[in-house]
Amino acid sequence: MPLDLEEQEQLDQLKAFWQKYRNLITGVVTVALFAYAAYSGYQWWRNSQALDASKLYETMVSAIAKGDKDQTFRAADDLQKDFARTPYAPMSSLIAARIAADAGDSAKALDYLRWATKNASNDGYLALAKMRLVSQLIEQGSEKDFAEADQILKDKPVAGFEALWLERRGDWYLAQKKNAEAKVSYQDAWKKLDQAKEFPEEARRLLKVKLDAVGGIAQ
């Protein structure tokens, strides 16, 4: 069936449009396809990484149950090296740091905690790593350790963990026998903690003990 004049004109306009913009259109479509392929590939990689990381984490848990510290640390190290972008890596580093500290290896504990503070993408793990690192440094007690702890505490607190930041600042003061400054930090932490109902009661009891040690809660 022959085209009428109007249809023929529309067809000619479409051909002219395609002739003028076909390279641009083809390029946009190609970029979109590449972007989709890259996204799909990343999703597959991320899922694969998470699965492999979870298996290695299970190996670590099994080693902990057996009391095998060497295998525990190897698993934590491998998770750092091969699966740093998964949540299992900072989680395992926090656990390994605790095991190392309990075994009296403070240097290894500090290494695990420092790694977690630099690589944790989850806010909860990041805050926990920083607060644990500050506590470990305060326990070490050298001038260099206090300086490193001070630098961490000057960072902006992770949202939702402001009370813990203030409490650790109080610990930092108290370890240097600056009781008046420690009392102020503990009081500020108490006010914040009182507003954060999600924190366990144990956290409040511990802070109350610290406050009592420096003169109690301001009324």
Side-chain angles (χ1 to χ4, degrees):
M1 180 179 178
L3 299 174
D4 60 30
L5 289 176
E6 184 178 355
E7 290 174 331
Q8 184 63 50
E9 184 178 351
Q10 290 174 347
L11 182 59
D12 290 341
Q13 288 175 349
L14 180 59
K15 287 179 179 179
F17 176 83
W18 175 253
Q19 193 70 28
K20 183 176 181 180
Y21 294 107
R22 63 181 176 183
N23 290 336
L24 177 61
I25 294 171
T26 303
V28 170
V29 171
T30 301
V31 169
L33 288 173
F34 272 122
Y36 177 76
Y39 173 77
S40 299
Y42 172 72
Q43 291 295 106
W44 175 88
W45 175 84
R46 189 173 67 174
N47 293 336
S48 175
Q49 285 269 297
L51 180 60
D52 291 342
S54 69
K55 291 177 181 177
L56 186 52
Y57 181 74
E58 288 174 8
T59 298
M60 180 179 175
V61 171
S62 178
I64 293 171
K66 295 174 185 175
D68 189 339
K69 288 196 290 290
D70 289 339
Q71 187 178 15
T72 298
F73 294 142
R74 279 198 302 272
D77 293 344
D78 287 342
L79 280 161
Q80 285 183 359
K81 182 178 68 175
D82 298 328
F83 304 103
R85 296 178 69 181
T86 70
Y88 292 100
M91 182 165 55
S92 67
S93 293
L94 287 168
I95 295 170
R98 171 56 63 193
I99 292 171
D102 290 345
D105 193 342
S106 58
K108 186 182 284 290
L110 287 169
D111 285 343
Y112 281 120
L113 291 171
R114 287 182 180 119
W115 187 93
T117 62
K118 293 175 182 175
N119 293 277
S121 56
N122 175 278
D123 282 349
Y125 293 145
L126 178 61
L128 185 56
K130 286 189 172 185
M131 296 300 92
R132 287 266 304 277
L133 179 55
V134 167
S135 294
Q136 189 78 26
L137 289 165
I138 291 172
E139 189 175 323
Q140 293 290 105
S142 74
E143 186 176 339
K144 181 180 178 182
D145 294 321
F146 280 128
E148 184 179 351
D150 180 40
Q151 199 59 45
I152 295 168
L153 291 168
K154 286 178 179 176
D155 290 345
K156 182 180 179 182
V158 175
F161 293 88
E162 293 86 356
L164 295 183
W165 242 259
L166 288 164
E167 183 179 352
R168 290 301 178 278
R169 176 56 81 183
D171 296 343
W172 186 84
Y173 281 129
L174 190 62
Q176 297 171 87
K177 304 187 185 307
K178 298 178 180 180
N179 289 17
E181 292 90 338
K183 181 178 178 179
V184 172
S185 288
Y186 287 149
Q187 288 173 342
D188 290 342
W190 182 265
K191 293 172 186 175
K192 289 282 186 182
L193 201 61
D194 202 42
Q195 299 166 5
K197 304 302 182 185
E198 68 274 11
F199 279 92
E201 188 59 33
E202 183 62 33
R204 289 177 173 79
R205 284 199 293 268
L206 178 58
L207 181 54
K208 178 67 163 55
V209 170
K210 294 178 181 179
L211 265 167
D212 289 342
V214 294
I217 303 172
Q219 299 299 322

